[in-house]
Amino acid sequence: MVNFDYQTPTRLIFGKGVISNLPDVMKPLGKKILITYGGGSIKKIGLYDKVKELLKDFELFELSDIQPNPKYDPSVLDGVAICKKNDIDAILAVGGGSVLDCSKAIAAGAKYDGDPWDLISYKVLAKDALPIVDILTLAATGSEYDCGGVISRTETNDKIGYMDPHLFPVCSILDPTYTFTVSKKQTAAGCADAMNHVIEQYFAEETTLLNDGFCEATLKSLMHNTKIALEHPDDYQARAELMLDCTYGCNGILSLGNSPSGWPCHAIEHALSAYYDITHGEGLAIITPKWMNHILNDRTVDRFVKYGVNVFGIDHALEKYEIAKQAIQATYDFFKSIGIPMTLHEVGIDESRIDEMAHHIAVNEGLDQADQTYVPLSENDIADILRASL
Ligand code: NZQ
Ligand code: ZN
């Protein structure tokens, strides 16, 4: 088992009606609160009014219109400006992963004198950040339980995963009923995102029985409950289990003691959504089976066998490569069955910028480092995976 150093300081308050805790959670953090949110879904579900009512004794400021694949300019820059101008004490992010991620970058930028991009691009390490609390409305990214945020800078086609221990939320308020209104498209994309988070950790050189079991159970829970939630969007049990699956997905708890995997599908997908602004989970669902095909070889085949037998119930008596191929096909078939477009063409991406994106990924993501990646990928490998995904 590989050494690790793990700490997640985030308090999780989970269940129906737990928003009633909000005033007590915010009180120790200060009086001036910046509420951040997206394009308006929180108003439609009555959450915006509820938050305002619960926080009537606080001084509230707002940043709205944070877009999916949140943008540095204007959202992060505007948020930092509001915080600095008004001496904000804490941020309350209300929404999906994009709102949370943007809020994390704002929280760090608010405590930094220079250009916040210095922090996001790791030119400078953050020394401090404003405290963040979130009310999650979409199960997918796990941003509610990790210290990362992913920020896009349109003019340079960058989409950077920015991680810093200062950015763990102080508290995440997780009420699955807020996810009842999430569309079929976003429910499916959220499932694909969380499944990929697990897969990125499962496919590593060195793993443990404990982590493998945890990952396999999380994948099965995600698939089972997504099917139910798509059919019955207000099934509490299904939405609740999905929410917790997703929360576990991204903070590293599923791979403590594993060797690094490099998170290759994320590295590749972030370029797709940087260049074409596509939905992150859909990009991942398209890439994942193609990446699996690409890395299947004598060294990796046993991992695919374990995945196929334990996650999809494929007959373990079959020949190894047959199991592996069936497992990859089952992954593809599941994503297709929940309505995800399974080619890049279907999400508006053609061949024209494949080489440019492959170059961008190869230069920026370090997927060729053998000690950091399960199966190292060269620029040509990345271009092949992208072409196979067209
Ligand atoms: O903007 P609003 O009106 O709120 O609508 C959103 C948005 O259009 C809508 N939505 C959210 N909650 C809803 C709802 N609609 C109806 N009812 C609700 N309860 O859903 C749309 C998508 O929201 P978004 O926040 O973009 O989705 P998601 O949570 O999937 O976040 C995606 C972003 O997170 C990044 C992705 O790259 C992408 O930028 N990631 C963040 C990670 C992290 N912090 O650890 C890890 C992930 O791998 C991922 O990269
Ligand atoms: Zn993801």
Side-chain angles (χ1 to χ4, degrees):
M1 201 192 287
V2 175
N3 294 2
F4 62 85
D5 179 345
Y6 176 82
Q7 183 179 27
T8 299
T10 302
R11 176 180 173 195
L12 301 178
I13 312 183
F14 191 101
K16 259 180 217 169
V18 294
I19 196 173
S20 59
N21 291 280
L22 185 62
D24 288 342
V25 168
M26 299 309 292
K27 232 173 262 166
L29 305 179
K31 200 85 186 152
K32 291 181 164 190
I33 310 296
L34 173 64
I35 302 175
T36 53
Y37 57 99
S41 67
I42 67 159
K43 292 191 172 166
K44 285 193 199 128
I45 63 176
L47 182 53
Y48 174 83
D49 289 339
K50 184 77 188 166
V51 167
K52 298 273 277 202
E53 178 199 319
L54 286 168
L55 298 185
K56 59 182 181 322
D57 296 332
F58 291 77
E59 196 179 339
L60 302 179
F61 299 79
E62 286 185 28
L63 175 74
S64 62
D65 290 321
I66 296 171
Q67 292 171 23
N69 300 323
K71 311 297 180 286
Y72 178 66
D73 187 2
S75 295
V76 174
L77 291 176
D78 286 356
V80 169
I82 297 172
C83 291
K84 287 187 173 171
K85 183 168 168 228
N86 301 289
D87 236 344
I88 294 293
D89 295 315
I91 300 178
L92 175 63
V94 190
S98 294
V99 172
L100 271 62
D101 285 7
C102 185
S103 304
K104 290 175 177 176
I106 294 169
K111 291 282 191 178
Y112 175 64
D113 283 339
D115 182 348
W117 193 255
D118 295 346
L119 303 169
I120 295 165
S121 59
Y122 296 107
K123 203 170 119 193
V124 176
L125 290 183
K127 292 205 174 72
D128 198 3
L130 288 175
I132 304 161
V133 171
D134 64 83
I135 304 172
L136 189 70
T137 65
L138 197 167
T141 63
S143 188
E144 66 276 16
Y145 204 41
D146 71 24
C147 64
V150 190
I151 302 297
S152 296
R153 192 160 190 178
T154 315
E155 71 272 21
T156 51
N157 292 313
D158 279 313
K159 182 170 179 185
I160 295 187
Y162 168 44
M163 295 178 79
D164 187 291
H166 295 96
L167 303 181
F168 278 109
V170 171
C171 178
S172 292
I173 294 180
L174 304 172
D175 183 337
T177 64
Y178 295 140
T179 67
F180 287 176
T181 52
V182 174
S183 64
K184 282 190 186 324
K185 174 188 165 83
Q186 292 294 342
T187 300
C191 168
D193 185 19
M195 280 182 67
N196 189 268
H197 294 162
V198 181
I199 287 168
E200 299 269 39
Q201 296 171 84
Y202 188 83
F203 283 87
E205 185 65 33
E206 194 177 338
T207 67
T208 63
L209 278 179
L210 175 68
N211 290 341
D212 285 353
F214 208 170
C215 286
E216 289 156 5
T218 310
L219 289 168
K220 285 195 273 195
S221 168
L222 281 162
M223 290 193 285
H224 176 79
N225 288 296
T226 296
K227 290 270 189 185
I228 296 173
L230 287 172
E231 196 117 325
H232 305 286
D234 56 356
D235 184 307
Y236 181 80
Q237 186 61 29
R239 290 291 195 183
E241 207 168 315
L242 282 176
M243 197 171 227
L244 198 52
D245 293 334
C246 294
T247 298
Y248 283 142
C250 209
N251 92 340
I253 199 169
L254 301 179
S255 53
L256 295 177
N258 285 8
S259 56
S261 74
W263 287 62
C265 296
H266 272 69
I268 296 172
E269 197 293 319
H270 283 166
L272 295 178
S273 42
Y275 278 69
Y276 291 94
D277 215 355
I278 65 167
T279 300
H280 172 63
E282 292 183 348
L284 287 172
I286 296 167
I287 297 286
T288 303
K290 306 303 174 189
W291 165 77
M292 287 177 160
N293 269 326
H294 193 87
I295 66 152
L296 175 59
N297 60 33
D298 287 351
R299 198 191 116 218
T300 62
V301 66
D302 290 337
R303 208 81 279 266
F304 282 98
V305 169
K306 187 162 193 195
Y307 171 72
V309 170
N310 290 350
V311 177
F312 292 103
I314 297 168
D315 181 359
H316 60 78
L318 291 171
E319 192 271 327
K320 280 205 286 198
Y321 273 88
E322 179 56 29
I323 297 174
K325 284 181 182 149
Q326 284 192 20
I328 296 170
Q329 187 63 42
T331 308
Y332 176 95
D333 290 345
F334 173 74
F335 290 143
K336 196 160 176 69
S337 77
I338 57 171
I340 296 185
M342 288 303 289
T343 63
L344 291 181
H345 278 302
E346 286 170 80
V347 295
I349 299 177
D350 63 15
E351 189 144 15
S352 58
R353 303 185 81 182
I354 295 284
D355 290 326
E356 187 187 342
M357 288 193 289
H359 183 69
H360 188 99
I361 297 161
V363 169
N364 291 296
E365 301 287 350
L367 292 179
D368 57 347
Q369 292 172 33
D371 58 338
Q372 293 300 318
T373 313
Y374 178 42
V375 177
L377 300 174
S378 67
E379 186 170 329
N380 281 340
D381 291 317
I382 297 165
D384 286 348
I385 292 167
L386 287 171
R387 281 212 170 77
S389 307
L390 280 167

